[in-house]
């Protein structure tokens, strides 16, 4: 039984194997798993019928159009179709194309910057009237060459903070270019004057308000100085090509090398530096500073050490490249340059906070920085670990003066910032404490009213200062400044009111004449009292000269920009003590005549605070 069972099982397995192998042996090829139609050979095209005897096959009438290539016969069972021949035998060759004509640069420029994006030279300036600038017709029908001469010959900085602020406003305004001058040259003169005033950032804004393809040799020269004053050598790079063509100079030769390094191409910069050195284009610290700028670029791979030994003066080149590369300029070198370089330093973000405080105070006193900006700088320095203890103490006193809940503590902090209870503070410290002074109660600080009112007016807080009128004694400095600055004054003063002013602290006789000149220019005295006071105080308000005639003519024609320039010309002096009261009278009256009442009042009040 066992043998027969085993034999039966073996036979069954053999039969199953034969059944499983049967389909495979019956197929000619493996069964495809693709959908129907894939992998099947393309049928050969049917043969065309032969044309009747005696006729010719139809051909295209246009010989320029080649016939479509006939595909090669397809082999049965082919998976990939062959490509048609590259050039059919009956297709004509494409004729060679002529060499294109060179593109006109003027046409190319229209595509690089369309007309809609170009800025006209007819009106130049970054600040419009809606943003605080003067009206576009600020120079009216004034002769452009005359206006440029005024700007070029103006000695800056000026002794007046408010005159400097007004002049900056006029120079950055979006105004029409006067007649007989080029808009780019007009912008260059404005930017150059702003640089001499210490307004490096404003000067750069004016220069950059002109399209580069409209630059003139004068504007190229000024633009280099604006880039250096702001510590921005990269700002020279868009101008290098045009400058080397129209205004070549040694500085632009070095700028080529610096721009090559800043663009990450030191292989191009190194030969340019070597050539400049061989041709004596630059040497000493000037060359080393340029090499340091090149090394600051991507893949610069060089470190340059700057030693100031043997350097006897500070130039715009040395200042700008030092600021750009983080090199500290020795303090004694700043003494070899004008005061405007200190103002450039105050505006440079590369200078450490602690090193910016002193120049920032000077810049605030000049009007380059606002009171709020100076307070913000001290607040930032208070949190800087590298700030010296003296600056930190000043920041702490300033915080107390602003935020302490005790009025006596706030007043004590203000006195500390001013240098003591009886000290005459610098005008910069009055600017610093302006808004802290406005937070005091007039009835609790009468003894310090003169300094508090002067501090408030240094930042233009005229209505806040006017609230002190009932708390200050008549005839004091505070009273005089409020009489000049009050925007809502409703009555004219009499001669007896003017005579009650004793002059306060400082040059009392000069301050008496300044008060008279300011009140008369603002129209706050009767005509009879003006003539009487002018005779008794010895102020020749009727003096006639070329400057007074030009100022009166510009005011009569409504040329606000020209009036501002001529007013600045009348204030060219070392200090307020050197400005004649007659000039103040003319300036204040002319500013009122062209609608600049606020600036006129602030300038008159500043004369009392600083004379």
């Amino acid at each position: 039984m066992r043998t027969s069972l085993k034999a039966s099982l073996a036979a069954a397995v053999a039969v199953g194997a034969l059944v499983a192998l049967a389909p495979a042996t019956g197929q000619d090829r493996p069964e495809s798993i693709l959908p129907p139609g894939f992998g099947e050979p393309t049928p050969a095209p049917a043969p065309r019928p032969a044309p009747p005897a005696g006729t010719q096959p139809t051909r295209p009438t246009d010989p320029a159009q080649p016939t479509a290539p006939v595909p090669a016969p397809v082999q049965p069972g082919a998976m990939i179709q062959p490509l048609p021949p590259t050039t059919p035998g009956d297709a004509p060759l494409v004729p060679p194309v002529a060499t294109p004509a060179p593109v006109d640069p003027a046409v190319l420029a229209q595509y690089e910057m369309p007309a809609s994006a170009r800025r006209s030279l007819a009106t130049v300036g970054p600040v419009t009237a809606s943003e605080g600038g003067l009206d576009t017709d600020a120079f009216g029908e004034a002769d452009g060459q005359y206006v440029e001469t005024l700007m070029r010959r103006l000695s800056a900085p000026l002794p007046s903070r408010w005159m400097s602020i007004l002049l900056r406003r006029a120079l950055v305004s979006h105004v029409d270019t006067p007649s007989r001058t080029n808009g780019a040259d007009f912008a260059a003169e404005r930017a150059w004057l702003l640089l001499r005033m210490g307004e490096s950032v404003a000067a750069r804004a004016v220069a950059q308000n002109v399209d580069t393809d409209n630059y003139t040799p004068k504007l190229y020269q000024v633009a280099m100085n604006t880039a250096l004053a702001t510590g921005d050598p990269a700002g020279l790079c868009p101008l290098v090509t045009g400058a080397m063509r129209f205004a070549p100079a040694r500085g632009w030769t070095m700028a080529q090398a610096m721009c090559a390094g800043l663009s990450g191409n030191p292989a191009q910069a190194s030969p340019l530096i070597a050539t400049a050195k061989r041709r004596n284009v630059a040497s000493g610290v000037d060359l080393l500073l340029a090499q340091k700028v090149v090394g600051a670029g991507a893949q610069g791979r060089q470190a340059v050490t700057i030693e100031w030994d043997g350097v006897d003066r500070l130039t715009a080149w040395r200042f700008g490249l030092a600021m750009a590369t983080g090199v500290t300029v020795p303090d004694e070198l700043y003494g070899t340059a004008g005061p405007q370089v200190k103002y450039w330093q105050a505006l440079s973000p590369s200078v450490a906070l602690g090193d910016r405080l002193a120049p920032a105070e000077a810049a605030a006193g000049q009007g380059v920085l606002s009171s709020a900006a100076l307070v913000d700088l001290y607040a930032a320095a208070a949190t800087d670990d590298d700030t010296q203890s003296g600056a930190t103490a000043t920041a702490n006193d300033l915080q107390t003066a602003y935020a302490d809940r005790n009025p006596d503590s706030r007043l004590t902090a203000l006195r500390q910032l001013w240098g003591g209870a009886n000290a005459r503070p610098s005008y910069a410290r009055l600017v610093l404490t302006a808004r802290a002074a406005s937070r005091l109660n007039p009835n609790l600080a009468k003894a310090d009213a003169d300094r508090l009112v002067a501090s408030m007016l240094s930042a233009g807080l005229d209505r806040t200062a006017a609230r002190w009128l009932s708390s200050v004694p008549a005839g004091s400095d505070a009273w005089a400044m409020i009489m000049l600055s009050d925007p809502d004054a409703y009555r004219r003063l009499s001669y007896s009111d003017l005579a009650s002013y004793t002059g306060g602290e400082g040059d009392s006789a000069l301050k008496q004449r300044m008060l008279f000149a300011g009140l008369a220019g603002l129209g706050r005295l009767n005509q009879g009292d003006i003539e009487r006071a002018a005779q008794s105080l010895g102020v020749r308000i009727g003096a006639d000269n070329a400057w007074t005639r030009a100022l009166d003519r510009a005011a009569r024609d409504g040329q606000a920009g020209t009036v501002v320039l001529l007013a600045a010309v009348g204030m060219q002096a070392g200090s307020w003590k050197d400005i004649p009261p007659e000039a103040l009278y003319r300036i204040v009256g002319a500013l009122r005549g062209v609608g600049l009442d606020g600036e006129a009042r602030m300038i008159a009040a500043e004369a009392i605070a600083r004379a």
Side-chain angles (χ1 to χ4, degrees):
M1 290 296 294
R2 294 180 180 178
T3 303
S4 60
L5 179 60
K6 291 180 180 180
S8 300
L9 290 174
V13 170
V15 172
L18 290 175
V19 173
L21 290 173
T25 57
Q27 292 179 347
D28 295 333
R29 58 180 177 175
E31 182 180 357
S32 175
I33 62 174
L34 296 174
F38 282 86
E40 297 179 1
T42 304
R48 296 181 181 180
T55 62
Q56 297 294 331
T58 305
R59 294 182 178 271
T61 58
D62 187 2
Q65 297 180 357
T67 58
V70 179
V74 180
Q75 299 298 329
M79 296 295 293
I80 301 177
Q81 303 302 319
L83 295 175
T86 305
T87 305
D90 57 348
L93 296 176
V94 178
V97 180
T99 302
V103 180
D104 185 2
V107 176
L108 183 61
Q110 294 179 0
Y111 288 93
E112 292 177 346
M113 182 179 291
S116 59
R118 295 179 180 272
R119 291 172 291 191
S120 172
L121 292 178
T123 307
V124 179
V127 181
T128 62
S130 61
E131 297 169 332
L134 301 182
D135 293 334
T136 55
D137 61 346
F139 291 94
E141 300 297 327
D143 182 77
Q145 295 183 6
Y146 167 70
V147 174
E148 287 187 353
T149 301
L150 290 178
M151 291 189 287
R152 190 179 310 119
R153 296 182 179 179
L154 184 59
S155 178
L158 301 173
S160 169
R161 167 181 165 83
W162 281 104
M163 187 70 247
S164 299
I165 293 174
L166 177 58
L167 181 58
R168 176 186 62 199
R169 177 186 173 192
L171 294 176
V172 301
S173 295
H174 190 68
V175 295
D176 296 336
T177 301
S179 61
R180 295 211 312 145
T181 187
N182 179 274
D185 287 341
F186 186 53
E189 292 291 352
R190 292 156 64 183
W192 181 235
L193 177 53
L194 285 166
L195 280 179
R196 303 199 307 272
M197 295 168 57
E199 300 281 358
S200 56
V201 176
R204 179 178 60 182
V206 172
Q208 292 180 346
N209 202 247
V210 178
D211 292 339
T212 55
D213 56 351
N214 290 328
Y215 268 44
T216 60
K218 182 189 295 186
L219 187 53
Y220 276 119
Q221 182 181 5
V222 174
M224 170 170 280
N225 284 277
T226 60
L228 294 173
T230 53
D232 182 23
L236 302 173
C237 298
L239 309 176
V240 168
T241 303
M244 291 300 295
R245 180 181 178 186
F246 298 108
R250 292 188 299 173
W252 291 111
T253 302
M254 299 303 301
Q256 282 184 309
M258 292 189 297
C259 292
L262 292 174
S263 62
N265 193 358
Q268 180 185 357
S270 298
L272 292 173
I273 288 289
T275 302
K277 185 176 182 180
R278 185 174 62 254
R279 295 180 179 178
N280 201 26
V281 175
S283 60
V285 71
D286 297 327
L287 180 62
L288 291 175
L289 285 168
Q291 288 180 293
K292 195 169 183 67
V293 173
V294 171
Q299 301 179 357
R301 298 177 183 175
Q302 60 175 325
V304 180
T305 302
I306 303 299
E307 298 289 345
W308 296 100
D309 297 339
V311 179
D312 57 351
R313 64 191 181 95
L314 184 62
T315 63
W317 179 270
R318 294 166 183 173
F319 172 84
L321 300 190
M323 294 298 104
T325 54
V327 176
T328 302
V329 178
D331 292 337
E332 56 269 17
L333 283 181
Y334 284 105
T336 65
Q340 58 267 22
V341 180
K342 278 286 188 181
Y343 309 150
W344 299 351
Q345 183 188 16
L347 294 173
S348 176
S350 64
V351 181
L353 288 175
D355 296 334
R356 290 175 64 187
L357 293 176
E361 284 202 19
Q366 188 61 36
V368 176
L369 286 181
S370 66
S371 173
L374 186 59
V375 172
D376 289 344
L377 184 61
Y378 266 103
T383 61
D384 188 7
D385 296 336
D386 296 331
T387 304
Q388 297 180 358
S389 59
T392 303
T394 300
N396 292 335
D397 289 338
L398 192 61
Q399 182 179 7
T400 302
Y402 270 90
D404 197 278
R405 295 183 178 181
N406 189 339
D408 293 335
S409 299
R410 296 205 302 269
L411 182 58
T412 301
L414 285 174
R415 290 170 178 170
Q416 185 68 27
L417 290 168
W418 293 336
N422 299 318
R424 187 174 187 182
S426 66
Y427 199 68
R429 282 301 172 98
L430 294 178
V431 175
L432 175 65
T433 57
R435 284 173 172 77
S438 67
R439 296 169 60 86
L440 290 175
N441 188 332
N443 295 321
L444 301 178
K446 294 182 179 180
D448 297 274
D450 292 345
R451 292 183 293 183
L452 291 169
V453 171
S455 180
M456 286 182 273
L457 293 178
S458 69
L461 306 177
D462 49 3
R463 283 189 166 87
T464 303
R467 295 203 302 263
W468 286 63
L469 181 59
S470 60
S471 301
V472 300
S476 63
D477 278 350
W479 172 84
M481 287 183 283
I482 293 174
M483 290 294 101
L484 291 167
S485 63
D486 187 2
D488 303 317
Y490 59 90
R491 73 178 183 92
R492 293 180 175 180
L493 299 182
S494 64
Y495 179 82
S496 60
D497 294 329
L498 179 62
S500 67
Y501 178 56
T502 59
E505 186 179 4
D507 190 342
S508 58
L510 175 61
K511 292 167 74 172
Q512 286 176 335
R513 295 195 295 272
M514 288 293 191
L515 174 62
F516 160 69
L519 291 173
L522 291 171
R524 298 187 176 184
L525 288 174
N526 295 319
Q527 186 61 38
D529 291 335
I530 291 176
E531 297 177 358
R532 181 182 176 185
Q535 185 175 4
S536 63
L537 294 174
V539 180
R540 299 175 59 248
I541 59 175
D544 181 72
N545 53 47
W547 175 73
T548 60
R549 290 192 296 271
L551 187 62
D552 292 342
R553 182 170 56 252
R556 185 171 56 253
D557 294 341
Q559 300 174 7
T562 310
V563 167
V564 172
L565 283 177
L566 289 169
V569 169
M571 281 199 170
Q572 296 178 102
S575 67
W576 268 99
K577 297 181 183 299
D578 300 321
I579 298 177
E582 296 86 352
L584 179 65
Y585 165 74
R586 293 283 188 172
I587 290 170
V588 170
L591 293 177
R592 280 187 62 238
V594 293
L596 298 173
D597 301 71
E599 288 81 357
R601 290 185 287 104
M602 292 300 103
I603 291 172
E606 184 184 357
I608 303 299
R610 305 186 71 175

